[in-house]
Amino acid sequence: MNLLKRISFKDQAFQQREGAILDAATRILTRRGFDLMTMDDVATEVGVSKPSLYKHFKSKEELAGECMIRLLDAASEHLSSLPDTMPAIDRMRSLLAWALHLRLQGGLPFLPATSPHVRDMLVKNLGYTMRALKLNSALSKILSEAQKAGQIRKDLPDAVILFSFYSRTCDPAVEFLRLYSKLSNAEIVENMLAAYFSGLTATNAKPTL
Amino acid sequence: MNLLKRISFKDQAFQQREGAILDAATRILTRRGFDLMTMDDVATEVGVSKPSLYKHFKSKEELAGECMIRLLDAASEHLSSLPDTMPAIDRMRSLLAWALHLRLQGGLPFLPATSPHVRDMLVKNLGYTMRALKLNSALSKILSEAQKAGQIRKDLPDAVILFSFYSRTCDPAVEFLRLYSKLSNAEIVENMLAAYFSGLTATNAKPTL
DNA sequence: GTCTATAGCTGGATAGAC
DNA sequence: GTCTATCCAGCTATAGAC
């Protein structure tokens, strides 16, 4: 029993360190992207040596993949946590707002979009692909609910709406606004949501709202 | 005079080769991004040796900078080419459509958005910055015209609209749609414009249009 | 001005001691 | 499992012959 306990302790420490590595890698991926992230960077930021990283993740690609998997899981979890009574469009808003806040805190990288190399890397990662499909099917369902309820226009293909949705989570405009405007993080999120959902053209129908 | 002529010929060939290098580099930047583009790639694609590249551009960063400068000039030129009678919002549409078509043909990289490294590189490039400011001021003017004419909503900060506009030119959704949907290039552009300008929410005001 | 060849460096991954 | 020290590939940039 003592033995088991000790092993369990060790495991816990191991798990905790793994979490720290993933946190650091996620931050660095957000700041610098996959190509510019070095394993030295990650090791330094976590406070371990480079070979130790390789005890946890057998390559840089696997490390990046695990970061993205954890994020997809968090996104699915966020969706699940929303009350069933919430209108579909508000669930979409809520997920996008969650992602944008995460991004503004430096915790959501760009990855899938970046380059063919990175995209291929993720597509080949079975765990990533499975979770991406799961999230996508959950979102498709919400989208069709929103359309049935008359909250989202029906004249755009689903793919346009969904891919745009994903792309908004890594919209460079967010970064530019953070750097070059005086808007607070909350205002940036609010404006991005407004621009995405309502568009830019003046609504000459609604009078002053 | 013969001498001058010969020099002039040589210069022409030199200029032409420079254009070919820029074309190739722009394509590769679009496909692979700055970090993954190697000078060997460029040399091979153009059909010259690597040291020759360095006779034209003193570094990889300068080469990328010149690619972007040429694109900014082309964008400004496109704006200038539009008839004065065209409504402001249609000029914005036209510029975005031009950029998206260029992107779909593999001729418009991602760069400014990508990473702090790349962004810094471009900001330090005086020629790039000057042209970016020039284009930005032209677009700001068009935007305020469109707002005065009641074509664009006035409740969003200018920065939100303009940065979103630039970001739409390198929207990953375009790439995803090209890869994973069956839409033609023209349809992709049309849908992206529709989503950007009109938004996603159903316009319960307009009946069936 | 163009090439071949190479310097010099960086970064992913690992061997081997503890 | 963790470290120090190191290997090796690939890249930017240049020296030097023609």
Side-chain angles (χ1 to χ4, degrees), chain A residues 31 113 116 119 150-153 156-157 163 167-168 171-173 175-177 179 191 194 196-202 205, chain B residues 31 113 116 119 150-153 156-157 163 167-168 171-173 175-177 179 191 194 196-202 205:
Chain A
R31 282 205 305 268
R119 192 172 48 234
Q151 298 156 346
I152 298 245
R153 55 196 287 199
L156 294 176
F163 286 137
S167 300
R168 286 303 71 70
D171 195 321
E175 186 71 3
F176 288 135
L177 288 172
L179 285 172
N191 276 293
Y196 176 57
F197 282 100
S198 307
L200 301 189
T201 47
Chain B
R31 283 204 306 267
R119 193 171 48 233
Q151 297 156 347
I152 298 244
R153 58 197 285 200
L156 294 177
F163 286 135
S167 300
R168 285 304 72 70
D171 195 320
E175 186 72 2
F176 288 135
L177 288 172
L179 285 172
N191 276 293
Y196 176 57
F197 283 100
S198 308
L200 302 189
T201 46

Side-chain angles (χ1 to χ4, degrees), chain A residues 30-43:
Chain A
T30 304
R31 282 205 305 268
R32 307 168 57 100
F34 180 77
D35 301 312
L36 286 177
M37 174 180 86
T38 75
M39 294 302 261
D40 285 292
D41 287 342
V42 181

Side-chain angles (χ1 to χ4, degrees), chain A residues 115-207:
Chain A
S115 73
H117 169 223
V118 177
R119 192 172 48 234
D120 288 355
M121 174 187 93
L122 290 173
V123 167
K124 281 179 199 151
N125 185 322
L126 190 63
Y128 175 85
T129 303
M130 275 173 32
R131 283 161 176 92
L133 288 174
K134 181 186 157 199
L135 183 59
N136 189 60
S137 101
L139 258 178
S140 297
K141 215 177 133 199
I142 293 178
L143 170 59
S144 88
E145 276 181 51
Q147 286 176 324
K148 263 185 208 139
Q151 298 156 346
I152 298 245
R153 55 196 287 199
K154 294 170 189 163
D155 60 333
L156 294 176
D158 281 9
V160 171
I161 294 179
L162 290 174
F163 286 137
S164 293
F165 186 89
Y166 302 135
S167 300
R168 286 303 71 70
T169 63
C170 58
D171 195 321
V174 172
E175 186 71 3
F176 288 135
L177 288 172
R178 195 179 62 76
L179 285 172
Y180 303 120
S181 83
K182 291 184 176 171
L183 300 175
S184 70
N185 282 4
E187 287 167 334
I188 292 176
V189 173
E190 201 175 331
N191 276 293
M192 293 301 297
L193 289 176
Y196 176 57
F197 282 100
S198 307
L200 301 189
T201 47
T203 55
N204 26 20
K206 295 181 187 172

